[in-house]
Amino acid sequence: MRFAHALVAAAVVTGLVAVPAQAAPSGQVRLDQIGYGTTESKQAYLLAPTATAGAPFSVLDGRGRSVLTGRVGTSLGGWNTAFTAVHPIDFTGVTRRGTYRIKVGGVTSPTFTIDTVDRLHSPLAANNVEFFQAQRDGADVIPGRLKRKPSHLADREAYVYDHPVFTGEGGDEVAEPLKRVGGPVDVEGGWFDAGDFVKFTHATSYSLAELLYAQRVDPNPALEAETRFGLRWLDKVWDGKSKTLIAQVGIGTGSEEHGFVGDHDVWRLPEADDELDVEPGDLEYFIKHRPVFRAAAPGEKISPNLAGRVSAAFALAAQVEARRHPALAARYLEEAASVFVQAKTADVGELVTAFPHAYYPEDSWADDMEFGATQLALAGKALGDRRTAGWATAATHWAKEYLASGDTDTLNLYNTSALAHTDLVRVLRAGGVRNAEVTEAQLVGDLKRQLQQGVDASASSPFRTAVDVTQFDAAPRSFGYVATAKLYRGLTGDRTYEDFGTQQRNFTLGSNAWGTTLVIGVGTTFPNCPQHQAANLSGDLDGGRRVLVGAVVNGPNGADLFSDLGEMPAGSAPCTKDYTKRYDSATSVFADDLRSWPSSEPAIDFTSMAALAFTLTARG
């Protein structure tokens, strides 16, 4: 739930300090604070009080020498009443590696780097992995910057409860007492979903699949260790013998009426839960002895979105282990196959994502089934499994169903079609697919549709942002466009969307109205007050070393969501920064504030999407 190290190493972790302006600034230069690849297009923006089209700019090197001069372009639109013009600055002509600033009149930008994409973005992907290390639960934690300690060891003997009933449509308060139906089961380990301590199979399998996808592209020891950690937990929540999938560990909101508090009702460090001395019926009983909820009863068919993405994660693990550990790969393949066959694909009803469903209101599942079947086909081929052709055919069937659904979403937690399409094209190109129900052209066409949709949307944004900055998930959806553009180019050789993908990455790394990156610990300015309990209670609140490095936050969101943020959580270290306020618009806000879950809460699905995007970018 969205809870109520090399040339650029220093920039990635500590940030760089902007050169003071020589005169009172009449605006701000917004750009990618990490930098630009030597051969990439390079765009910055002058956020100005009034239109100043044609104003001269200079690009200065590390010694203050001008290496390029030009004039800012015509305003692409106003942002708010204080900044009525956003002028593009094109400095693509600067290709030499080094550190630079842009100067427009009395305004000077933060320092940024031009270098190879690998040197710029591989450290960012590594930072994303560090965030996952900080999210670890159970005994096998990594202390890291936040001095994490083992937590929730009681999850080793957790009890299963019937699906909870919640108040009203979209409510999250429990309306009836929880009913124990089974257990104990071992669900120790795994990753916290976001700033709270609940664990969801829906988000975990998605994030794990993306990390494994990245590992397939660029294996490295830290990433491999983290995917192994995630796989150990996924292996626990799927019981192939009883055909049971656990969907959730913990409950978000409790019930005063029924005498218990939930995870979101208590602000604390995770290890504090283990110190509780509680008995059934005590107010904090479910904080220590966390309830477990199944996706379905043992042996029953399970929600197809879960079946698809869980099977995809196991099958991707089989692929990365196929050569070096074939026996382990074969075991992962069997787990993937056993989950996939349990998918409920008729009379589906409301998908299972979380309890309550409103936490993650997904309604698309054919894409997940395509994703799972495609990864099974690739794993089967790598291991010489006789079922490979059947899985490949099934993948084309679910791709056909997805295309026929008219779903217009793009790559994010709720839509895996870009990953599925890309790999299914490779399956088709390899041949041997009997009775294929889709063509390569159809799949590539839908990838192109997703990217063109973003291009069209960006045309009306003064920062050429494809995402709607009045809606949720601005940062991860932007990273989704970055990844899709790289996948499309790798599949087709077509560079049409290269510049578009670069612009969306630039947005997440500072080329936005607020002049902040949306990745903690990265760039000159980054979020200091994430809604994250461990970071708040164990970390630095002013951008020091002890921050949640690599965590991606939601980003800007609709202004109406910030009208009443309420009080700081009881027991928290109060944290709020006001540097963003003058850059808010009438419709969109970014609040660097502990209370601001609509913009400042990080999550594993946000961060896995960034890790994949940075990895694909680093590999060119």
Side-chain angles (χ1 to χ4, degrees), residues 266-304:
V266 186
W267 195 270
R268 77 286 188 198
L269 289 171
E271 61 267 23
D273 295 353
D274 297 271
E275 302 302 319
L276 294 172
D277 183 11
V278 290
E279 299 292 336
D282 289 350
L283 188 66
E284 292 187 311
Y285 180 77
F286 290 130
I287 298 296
K288 180 173 183 177
H289 300 285
R290 307 197 296 178
V292 170
F293 305 103
R294 300 166 175 151
E300 290 187 2
K301 296 292 187 179
I302 60 178
S303 195

Side-chain angles (χ1 to χ4, degrees), residues 26 74 86 111 133 148 168 211 257 301 413 445 474 575 594 598 605:
S26 57
T74 302
V86 180
T111 303
Q133 295 171 344
R148 285 291 324 284
L211 293 181
E257 178 184 358
K301 296 292 187 179
L413 176 64
C575 187
L594 179 63
D605 62 281

Side-chain angles (χ1 to χ4, degrees), residues 516-595:
T516 181
T517 76
L518 303 177
V519 186
I520 296 174
V522 166
T524 306
T525 303
F526 55 81
N528 285 272
C529 303
Q531 188 170 93
H532 188 281
Q533 295 179 74
N536 174 253
L537 295 175
S538 296
D540 294 325
L541 306 182
D542 289 302
R545 184 183 181 278
R546 297 181 304 157
V547 296
L548 200 62
V549 168
V552 176
V553 300
N554 181 86
N557 214 324
D560 58 321
L561 296 171
F562 301 84
S563 59
D564 183 12
L565 293 177
E567 301 295 325
M568 292 287 174
S572 69
C575 187
T576 184
K577 309 295 179 184
D578 61 5
Y579 66 93
T580 62
K581 293 185 185 301
R582 67 187 298 235
Y583 305 112
D584 291 337
S585 74
T587 58
S588 184
V589 168
F590 177 78
D592 189 359
D593 188 300
L594 179 63
R595 301 164 296 173

